[in-house]
């Protein structure tokens, strides 16, 4: 492994767009602070339940969602907080959901793995590996049938590349030329199983190409690389050109879920390698180093995000749990 961390790849067009740069940075930091706060709350016992943290992968959700409109669709995974935040779900309502409060996105009945908000196109997280992919396919088919130019995105992990339904969706999206972007977040592991053990090839994009779906492999720890490739995929989808597949190579810093702290299946050297490519630090080096944003601007964003997260925690703590009389509402369709 070479140990020199590469630069993020922003070209002059992106470096000249200060508003976009501020938005990308704020979203990445918002996800990271949210997740770190969730980790601390869980460790202290203030928060119950399971959570799969997204820390390390922020540049994937942010680079992808920065290309989407509010009414485009996203279907998520068990590691879904970052997707929801990047798509515009309110962090206070997300925190309330994790606390099981009635003000939460799912009125406190869903928790970490079911966060959904139809108002911003967040179709939902799911605990079933690969199950978000047909949801996104259905949303893409709906958009096409209604004649809108909306796009749907399916986020899924390398683990979902072993799920048959993903391949059925690749095929269906291609023959119907649906406006769907498959975003495979290859973080190297499915729980503790390395991708090299579970999959017979490192070339995941080749699997999509076999179905006739244009595919690309990108450095998922470089928000500009993700944003660039996603721009091509979204243009293809909105223009009637059908689906695309993006393999984003990335890494999760924490364990598979909160509780998988020893992480015995990977080495300290490997973790250090990916941390040296941290998406937020690389972004900062690129934009401050080349004078696109002042460091003081980034620190001001950090402070604002810190206040937003603390306000979200207060909102959650001060909200009530759902009333016992609401036990069966919103649980099953009537
Ligand atoms: C259909 C199905 N099989 C197995 C599981 C158990 N399981 C939960 S997460 C996970 C690993 C998923 O790995 P990946 O898709 O790479 O996502 P990551 O956790 O790395 O983000 C597994 C096997 C499940 N939830 N659903
Ligand atoms: Mg994985």
């Amino acid at each position: 492994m070479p140990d020199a961390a590469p630069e993020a790849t922003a070209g002059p067009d992106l470096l000249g767009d200060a508003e976009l740069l501020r938005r990308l940075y704020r979203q990445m930091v918002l996800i990271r602070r949210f997740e770190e706060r969730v980790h601390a709350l869980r460790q202290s016992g203030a928060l119950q339940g399971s959570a799969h943290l997204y820390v390390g992968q922020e540049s994937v959700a942010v680079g992808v969602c920065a290309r989407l409109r509010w009414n485009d669709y996203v279907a998520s995974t068990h590691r879904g907080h970052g997707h929801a935040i990047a798509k515009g779900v309110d962090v206070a309502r997300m925190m309330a959901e994790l606390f099981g409060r009635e003000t939460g996105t799912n009125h406190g009945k869903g928790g970490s793995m079911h966060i959904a908000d139809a108002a911003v196109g967040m179709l939902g997280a799911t605990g079933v590996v690969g199950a978000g992919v047909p949801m996104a396919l259905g949303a893409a088919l709906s958009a096409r049938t209604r004649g809108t130019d909306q796009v749907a995105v399916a986020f899924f992990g390398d683990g979902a590349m072993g799920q048959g339904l993903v391949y059925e969706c690749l095929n269906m999206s291609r023959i119907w030329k649906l406006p769907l972007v498959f975003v495979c977040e290859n973080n190297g592991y499915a729980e503790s199983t390395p991708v090299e053990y579970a999959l017979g090839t490192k070339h995941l994009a080749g699997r999509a190409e076999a179905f006739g779906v244009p595919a690309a492999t990108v450095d998922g720890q470089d928000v500009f690389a993700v944003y660039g490739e996603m721009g091509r995929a979204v243009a293809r989808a909105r223009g009637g050109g059908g689906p695309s597949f993006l393999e984003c190579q990335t890494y999760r810093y924490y364990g598979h879920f909160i509780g998988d702290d020893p992480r015995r299946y990977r080495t300290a050297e490997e973790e250090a390698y990916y941390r040296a490519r941290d998406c937020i630090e690389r972004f900062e080096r690129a934009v401050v180093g080349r004078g696109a944003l002042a460091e003081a601007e980034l620190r001001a964003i950090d402070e604002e995000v810190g206040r937003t997260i603390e306000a979200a925690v207060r909102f959650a703590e001060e909200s009530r749990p759902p009333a016992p009389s609401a036990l069966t509402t919103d649980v099953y369709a009537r």
Side-chain angles (χ1 to χ4, degrees):
M1 290 181 188
D3 53 15
E7 272 280 291
T9 54
D13 50 332
L14 293 185
L15 287 176
D17 189 344
E19 201 251 303
L20 172 70
L21 296 178
R22 278 192 285 269
R23 192 151 52 92
L24 295 174
Y25 180 76
R26 180 177 185 276
Q27 292 287 78
M28 290 196 290
V29 173
L30 188 62
I31 296 170
R32 184 156 302 184
R33 296 288 166 268
F34 183 90
E35 296 291 66
E36 285 174 344
R37 198 67 174 87
V38 168
H39 187 254
L41 286 163
R42 189 68 176 70
Q43 297 298 83
S44 74
L47 194 57
Q48 308 292 316
S50 179
H52 303 77
L53 299 181
Y54 193 68
V55 176
Q57 304 185 197
E58 294 89 345
S59 38
V60 179
V62 171
V64 164
C65 291
R67 290 289 191 181
L68 299 180
R69 301 175 185 156
W70 69 270
N71 65 345
D72 289 328
Y73 299 105
V74 158
S76 179
T77 68
H78 55 286
R79 199 175 301 289
H81 302 167
H83 309 144
I85 293 173
K87 192 63 179 67
V89 182
D90 176 53
V91 289
R93 291 179 59 227
M94 285 179 60
M95 196 63 89
E97 188 57 36
L98 297 189
F99 273 82
R101 303 298 158 97
E102 67 177 4
T103 53
T105 49
N106 306 49
H107 306 300
K109 297 176 191 171
S112 168
M113 272 188 281
H114 297 99
I115 287 173
D117 187 356
V120 294
M122 175 65 185
L123 298 173
T126 168
V128 181
V129 170
V133 181
M135 283 168 56
L137 181 106
L141 177 59
S142 152
R144 235 272 308 277
T145 307
R146 288 179 288 115
T148 75
D149 68 351
Q150 287 162 288
V151 169
V153 171
F155 284 105
F156 53 98
D158 46 280
M161 292 302 286
Q163 291 291 87
L165 86 175
V166 172
Y167 299 95
E168 295 178 47
C169 290
L170 278 166
N171 188 59
M172 211 177 278
S173 69
R174 177 65 186 89
I175 59 174
W176 290 343
K177 284 196 152 189
L178 297 181
L180 177 59
V181 185
F182 296 83
V183 178
C184 177
E185 297 187 76
N186 181 0
N187 60 10
Y189 295 88
E191 298 195 352
S192 57
T193 305
V195 65
E196 296 81 15
Y197 177 87
L199 301 174
T201 173
K202 280 191 170 175
H203 187 44
L204 302 190
R207 293 184 165 202
E209 284 162 357
F211 287 89
V213 175
T217 305
V218 296
D219 177 351
Q221 289 181 287
D222 177 355
V223 72
F224 299 116
V226 176
Y227 183 78
E229 205 52 58
M230 185 63 186
R232 286 182 273 282
V234 167
R236 182 178 294 126
R238 287 203 211 286
S244 307
F245 180 99
L246 258 60
E247 181 204 346
C248 300
Q249 295 178 332
T250 182
Y251 202 73
R252 62 168 156 75
Y253 291 176
Y254 287 97
H256 172 64
F257 66 106
I258 300 180
D260 168 30
D261 284 332
R263 306 191 296 276
R264 284 195 199 92
Y265 46 89
R266 56 192 211 188
T267 63
E269 291 73 31
E270 180 183 290
E271 295 193 353
Y273 172 85
Y274 286 102
R275 279 181 179 269
R277 281 151 181 73
D278 181 75
C279 60
I280 295 174
E281 289 173 14
R282 276 170 81 184
F283 176 94
E284 186 163 342
R285 277 201 301 276
V287 301
V288 175
R290 289 186 243 159
L293 289 181
E295 195 180 339
E297 275 188 272
L298 300 186
R299 298 294 79 84
I301 292 172
D302 294 345
E303 278 175 31
E304 178 268 315
V305 165
R307 287 193 298 275
T308 301
I309 296 297
E310 289 319 304
V313 175
R314 271 198 310 282
F315 174 76
E317 285 173 340
E318 289 166 8
S319 295
R320 286 186 312 217
S325 60
L327 187 66
T328 57
T329 50
D330 300 321
V331 178
Y332 295 103
R334 266 172 254 230

Short mmCIF file of all heavy atoms in Angstrom, two decimals, residues 52 57 77-79 127-129 156-160 163 185 187 189-191 252 256, ligand 1:
data_model
loop_
_atom_site.label_atom_id
_atom_site.label_comp_id
_atom_site.label_asym_id
_atom_site.label_seq_id
_atom_site.Cartn_x
_atom_site.Cartn_y
_atom_site.Cartn_z
N HIS A 52 -25.76 1.47 12.94
CA HIS A 52 -24.61 1.18 12.07
C HIS A 52 -24.08 2.52 11.59
O HIS A 52 -24.76 3.20 10.83
CB HIS A 52 -25.05 0.33 10.88
CG HIS A 52 -25.71 -0.96 11.25
ND1 HIS A 52 -27.01 -1.02 11.70
CD2 HIS A 52 -25.24 -2.24 11.25
CE1 HIS A 52 -27.32 -2.29 11.96
NE2 HIS A 52 -26.28 -3.04 11.69
N GLN A 57 -17.51 7.33 5.34
CA GLN A 57 -18.09 7.18 4.00
C GLN A 57 -18.86 8.44 3.55
O GLN A 57 -19.55 8.43 2.54
CB GLN A 57 -19.04 5.97 3.98
CG GLN A 57 -18.36 4.68 4.41
CD GLN A 57 -19.21 3.43 4.30
OE1 GLN A 57 -18.89 2.42 4.89
NE2 GLN A 57 -20.30 3.46 3.53
N THR A 77 -29.97 1.82 3.18
CA THR A 77 -29.54 0.53 3.74
C THR A 77 -29.66 0.57 5.26
O THR A 77 -30.14 1.55 5.82
CB THR A 77 -28.06 0.27 3.41
OG1 THR A 77 -27.27 1.21 4.16
CG2 THR A 77 -27.76 0.43 1.93
N HIS A 78 -29.11 -0.47 5.91
CA HIS A 78 -29.02 -0.46 7.38
C HIS A 78 -28.05 0.62 7.86
O HIS A 78 -28.11 1.02 9.00
CB HIS A 78 -28.55 -1.84 7.87
CG HIS A 78 -27.26 -2.25 7.24
ND1 HIS A 78 -27.18 -2.68 5.92
CD2 HIS A 78 -25.98 -2.26 7.72
CE1 HIS A 78 -25.92 -2.95 5.62
NE2 HIS A 78 -25.18 -2.70 6.69
N ARG A 79 -27.13 1.07 6.98
CA ARG A 79 -26.16 2.11 7.36
C ARG A 79 -26.62 3.42 6.75
O ARG A 79 -25.94 4.02 5.93
CB ARG A 79 -24.76 1.70 6.83
CG ARG A 79 -23.60 2.41 7.51
CD ARG A 79 -22.25 1.89 7.03
NE ARG A 79 -22.07 0.48 7.26
CZ ARG A 79 -21.90 -0.10 8.45
NH1 ARG A 79 -21.86 0.66 9.53
NH2 ARG A 79 -21.78 -1.41 8.57
N GLY A 127 -33.34 -2.95 7.03
CA GLY A 127 -32.40 -3.89 7.64
C GLY A 127 -32.10 -5.08 6.76
O GLY A 127 -31.22 -5.88 7.07
N VAL A 128 -32.81 -5.23 5.65
CA VAL A 128 -32.62 -6.40 4.79
C VAL A 128 -31.64 -6.04 3.67
O VAL A 128 -31.91 -5.16 2.86
CB VAL A 128 -33.98 -6.86 4.20
CG1 VAL A 128 -33.78 -8.09 3.32
CG2 VAL A 128 -34.97 -7.14 5.31
N VAL A 129 -30.49 -6.70 3.68
CA VAL A 129 -29.43 -6.36 2.72
C VAL A 129 -29.94 -6.49 1.28
O VAL A 129 -30.45 -7.54 0.89
CB VAL A 129 -28.20 -7.27 2.95
CG1 VAL A 129 -27.17 -7.11 1.83
CG2 VAL A 129 -27.57 -6.96 4.29
N PHE A 156 -26.38 0.71 -1.76
CA PHE A 156 -26.23 -0.63 -1.18
C PHE A 156 -24.75 -0.91 -0.98
O PHE A 156 -23.89 -0.25 -1.57
CB PHE A 156 -26.88 -1.70 -2.08
CG PHE A 156 -26.43 -1.68 -3.51
CD1 PHE A 156 -25.45 -2.54 -3.95
CD2 PHE A 156 -26.97 -0.77 -4.40
CE1 PHE A 156 -25.02 -2.52 -5.28
CE2 PHE A 156 -26.55 -0.73 -5.72
CZ PHE A 156 -25.57 -1.60 -6.16
N GLY A 157 -24.46 -1.90 -0.16
CA GLY A 157 -23.07 -2.21 0.16
C GLY A 157 -22.52 -3.31 -0.72
O GLY A 157 -23.24 -3.92 -1.53
N ASP A 158 -21.22 -3.58 -0.56
CA ASP A 158 -20.60 -4.70 -1.28
C ASP A 158 -21.29 -6.01 -0.92
O ASP A 158 -21.38 -6.92 -1.74
CB ASP A 158 -19.11 -4.79 -0.94
CG ASP A 158 -18.85 -4.66 0.55
OD1 ASP A 158 -18.86 -3.52 1.05
OD2 ASP A 158 -18.68 -5.70 1.22
N GLY A 159 -21.82 -6.10 0.32
CA GLY A 159 -22.50 -7.32 0.74
C GLY A 159 -23.72 -7.62 -0.13
O GLY A 159 -24.06 -8.79 -0.36
N ALA A 160 -24.37 -6.56 -0.63
CA ALA A 160 -25.57 -6.76 -1.45
C ALA A 160 -25.22 -7.28 -2.84
O ALA A 160 -26.11 -7.73 -3.58
CB ALA A 160 -26.35 -5.45 -1.56
N GLN A 163 -26.57 -10.65 -3.46
CA GLN A 163 -28.02 -10.83 -3.40
C GLN A 163 -28.59 -10.91 -4.82
O GLN A 163 -28.42 -9.97 -5.61
CB GLN A 163 -28.68 -9.65 -2.66
CG GLN A 163 -28.37 -9.60 -1.18
CD GLN A 163 -29.04 -10.73 -0.42
OE1 GLN A 163 -28.49 -11.82 -0.31
NE2 GLN A 163 -30.22 -10.51 0.09
N GLU A 185 -21.59 1.00 -2.34
CA GLU A 185 -20.55 1.50 -1.43
C GLU A 185 -19.70 0.31 -1.00
O GLU A 185 -20.09 -0.44 -0.11
CB GLU A 185 -21.18 2.19 -0.23
CG GLU A 185 -21.98 3.41 -0.63
CD GLU A 185 -22.48 4.21 0.56
OE1 GLU A 185 -21.68 4.93 1.18
OE2 GLU A 185 -23.68 4.11 0.88
N ASN A 187 -17.11 -0.86 1.01
CA ASN A 187 -16.25 -0.49 2.15
C ASN A 187 -15.39 -1.66 2.59
O ASN A 187 -14.85 -1.67 3.69
CB ASN A 187 -17.09 0.08 3.30
CG ASN A 187 -18.11 -0.92 3.83
OD1 ASN A 187 -18.09 -2.10 3.46
ND2 ASN A 187 -19.00 -0.46 4.68
N TYR A 189 -15.96 -4.69 3.52
CA TYR A 189 -16.46 -5.73 4.42
C TYR A 189 -17.98 -5.79 4.43
O TYR A 189 -18.66 -4.76 4.32
CB TYR A 189 -16.02 -5.45 5.88
CG TYR A 189 -14.53 -5.55 6.05
CD1 TYR A 189 -13.73 -4.42 5.85
CD2 TYR A 189 -13.91 -6.75 6.38
CE1 TYR A 189 -12.35 -4.49 5.97
CE2 TYR A 189 -12.54 -6.84 6.52
CZ TYR A 189 -11.76 -5.71 6.31
OH TYR A 189 -10.40 -5.79 6.43
N ALA A 190 -18.51 -6.98 4.58
CA ALA A 190 -19.91 -7.18 4.94
C ALA A 190 -19.87 -7.82 6.33
O ALA A 190 -19.42 -8.96 6.47
CB ALA A 190 -20.61 -8.09 3.93
N GLU A 191 -20.28 -7.07 7.35
CA GLU A 191 -20.01 -7.43 8.74
C GLU A 191 -18.50 -7.66 8.86
O GLU A 191 -17.72 -6.74 8.61
CB GLU A 191 -20.85 -8.62 9.18
CG GLU A 191 -22.34 -8.30 9.12
CD GLU A 191 -23.22 -9.28 9.87
OE1 GLU A 191 -22.75 -10.32 10.35
OE2 GLU A 191 -24.43 -8.99 9.99
N ARG A 252 -15.46 2.17 6.35
CA ARG A 252 -16.13 2.65 7.57
C ARG A 252 -15.12 2.62 8.71
O ARG A 252 -14.35 1.68 8.84
CB ARG A 252 -17.36 1.82 7.90
CG ARG A 252 -17.09 0.36 8.19
CD ARG A 252 -18.29 -0.34 8.80
NE ARG A 252 -18.26 -1.77 8.56
CZ ARG A 252 -17.48 -2.65 9.19
NH1 ARG A 252 -16.63 -2.23 10.11
NH2 ARG A 252 -17.55 -3.93 8.90
N HIS A 256 -18.94 -2.74 12.51
CA HIS A 256 -20.13 -2.94 11.69
C HIS A 256 -21.35 -2.26 12.33
O HIS A 256 -22.14 -1.62 11.65
CB HIS A 256 -20.40 -4.44 11.52
CG HIS A 256 -21.71 -4.74 10.88
ND1 HIS A 256 -21.98 -4.35 9.58
CD2 HIS A 256 -22.83 -5.35 11.34
CE1 HIS A 256 -23.23 -4.72 9.28
NE2 HIS A 256 -23.74 -5.32 10.32
C1 LIG B 1 -30.83 -10.53 3.45
C2 LIG B 1 -29.93 -10.33 4.61
N1 LIG B 1 -28.91 -11.20 4.85
C3 LIG B 1 -28.10 -11.00 5.91
C4 LIG B 1 -28.29 -9.96 6.76
C5 LIG B 1 -27.34 -9.73 7.94
N2 LIG B 1 -26.50 -8.59 7.64
C6 LIG B 1 -26.79 -7.35 8.11
S1 LIG B 1 -25.70 -6.20 7.58
C7 LIG B 1 -24.82 -7.34 6.74
C8 LIG B 1 -23.58 -6.97 5.98
C9 LIG B 1 -23.87 -5.98 4.92
O1 LIG B 1 -22.68 -5.59 4.30
P1 LIG B 1 -22.66 -4.51 3.18
O2 LIG B 1 -23.81 -4.73 2.26
O3 LIG B 1 -21.31 -4.52 2.59
O4 LIG B 1 -22.94 -3.14 3.95
P2 LIG B 1 -22.04 -2.44 5.08
O5 LIG B 1 -22.49 -3.00 6.40
O6 LIG B 1 -20.63 -2.75 4.78
O7 LIG B 1 -22.37 -1.00 4.96
C10 LIG B 1 -25.39 -8.61 6.87
C11 LIG B 1 -24.84 -9.83 6.24
C12 LIG B 1 -29.36 -9.09 6.50
N3 LIG B 1 -29.60 -8.02 7.28
N4 LIG B 1 -30.16 -9.28 5.42
#
